Amino acid sequence: MSRRHLPYRRPLLATFAAFAVLAGTAAAAPATPAASRTTPVAATPLAALDDTYYQDALGKTGTQLKSALHSIISVQTKISYSQVWDALKNTDQDPANSSNVILLYTGRSEPKSDNGGAVGQWNREHVWAKSHGDFGTSTGPGTDIHHLRPEDVTVNSIRGNKDFDNGGTAVSGAAGNYTDSDSFEPRDAVKGDVARMILYMAVRYEGDDAFPDLEPNDRVENGSAPNIGRLSVLKQWSQEDPPDSFEERRNDVIFDQYQHNRNPFIDHPEWVEAIW
């Protein structure tokens, strides 16, 4: 290939919700997903999260940290695949135009209403390709919006189920993206986003809830195995493209309004290296 360059417990959520009310942020966890809510979400104070949500992970590294985070983020509300449409219209809302969403790979601002399967529309991209572990679109990893993003139908098809790596030829209609026969390289502005979504999935789905044990590795062409690569490149991308305000808001919206769990690598990017 060419190259170009201890467990979380529910009382803690209640504690955090109380803090959120006092701080003026949105309280966590309505009983059912608020699929159409698009109200602004205040940034979640990291100190509050460390005192509550992440308290059982602090001070750990390696397999102990991975295990602790798995226990924490596995406490979640699951949504259906049809509910994903409305959720993405909120999580990926264009900050400059509340009627639009930002597409992951192209970066294009697209009307929320222009979703579907036709050329020029946007659909639901599984960043951890659903064929890698064959989990499909059933409720669980197939509907986990921490790794589902809006994307142009054609570009989504070009990415397909390829692993992630550097290199390839330019993707038509998606400046800054590259692909070849066995991998896909996203634009620089979302490389870290992609890496942190993949690593979230590897921690969340450990094979103990009827779904496959998802793990990153340092190869491509993983096929239907429950693996995605290339880990060394994903780690590099996470370092080079740290979380921005769009990614942080997305994490807060998912936590406050939908799944009520978080992507720990957005809150603590340093945990990537601490585990892998």
Side-chain angles (χ1 to χ4, degrees):
M1 159 177 288
S2 64
R3 303 183 69 86
R4 301 186 311 117
H5 340 235
L6 290 179
Y8 166 59
R9 294 175 293 276
R10 290 188 182 276
L12 293 180
L13 186 56
T15 301
F16 180 79
F19 180 93
V21 170
L22 292 173
T25 61
T32 57
S36 61
R37 185 179 303 173
T38 57
T39 52
V41 175
T44 305
L46 183 57
L49 290 169
D50 284 349
D51 286 344
T52 56
Y53 192 70
Y54 290 125
Q55 65 174 355
D56 292 330
L58 299 180
K60 295 181 170 67
T61 60
T63 57
Q64 288 186 332
L65 175 58
K66 188 168 185 262
S67 178
L69 291 176
H70 172 69
S71 296
I72 292 167
I73 68 177
S74 294
V75 180
Q76 71 178 98
T77 297
K78 299 180 178 67
I79 67 174
S80 71
Y81 198 46
S82 62
Q83 288 174 311
V84 168
W85 286 120
D86 284 333
L88 295 184
K89 293 175 183 179
N90 188 0
T91 60
D92 291 74
Q93 179 174 288
D94 183 348
N97 185 346
S98 62
S99 297
N100 287 12
V101 291
I102 299 294
L103 307 188
L104 176 63
Y105 302 132
T106 66
R108 190 173 77 236
S109 180
E110 188 77 10
K112 292 178 178 179
S113 59
D114 196 19
N115 62 300
V119 173
Q121 292 186 310
W122 65 270
N123 59 4
R124 297 159 292 187
E125 155 72 334
H126 289 79
V127 176
W128 185 294
K130 56 185 180 290
S131 63
H132 289 234
D134 195 29
F135 52 74
T137 59
S138 57
T139 302
T143 66
D144 194 318
I145 52 178
H146 276 296
H147 85 116
L148 281 157
R149 300 291 291 266
E151 187 46 61
D152 176 85
V153 167
T154 301
V155 176
N156 194 354
S157 179
I158 291 171
R159 188 264 156 144
N161 68 348
K162 295 173 182 176
D163 294 85
F164 293 102
D165 200 358
N166 292 313
T169 58
V171 175
S172 178
N177 296 264
Y178 298 83
T179 192
D180 58 16
S181 62
D182 57 20
S183 70
F184 189 88
E185 177 184 349
R187 59 192 176 100
D188 289 347
V190 296
K191 279 183 165 70
D193 306 50
V194 167
R196 287 181 284 275
M197 285 186 280
I198 292 295
L199 300 178
Y200 160 86
M201 292 291 283
V203 171
R204 169 60 187 87
Y205 298 99
E206 292 277 37
D208 56 2
D209 54 3
F211 294 109
D213 179 6
L214 305 182
E215 293 295 338
N217 60 19
D218 210 35
R219 55 168 294 180
V220 293
E221 294 189 286
N222 277 294
S224 61
N227 307 107
I228 278 186
R230 186 177 302 265
L231 177 58
S232 58
V233 172
L234 294 170
K235 289 173 61 178
Q236 177 186 353
W237 290 354
S238 183
Q239 290 179 343
E240 294 177 349
D241 174 37
D244 59 17
S245 59
F246 186 92
E247 194 178 359
E248 289 166 348
R249 176 192 176 275
R250 192 174 196 277
N251 200 23
D252 284 335
V253 171
I254 294 172
F255 180 61
D256 291 341
Q257 300 179 20
Y258 296 97
Q259 295 184 178
H260 315 308
N261 71 340
R262 303 184 67 84
N263 183 332
F265 304 111
I266 297 174
D267 297 320
H268 282 280
E270 71 277 9
W271 282 346
V272 172
E273 192 66 34
I275 294 175
W276 288 281

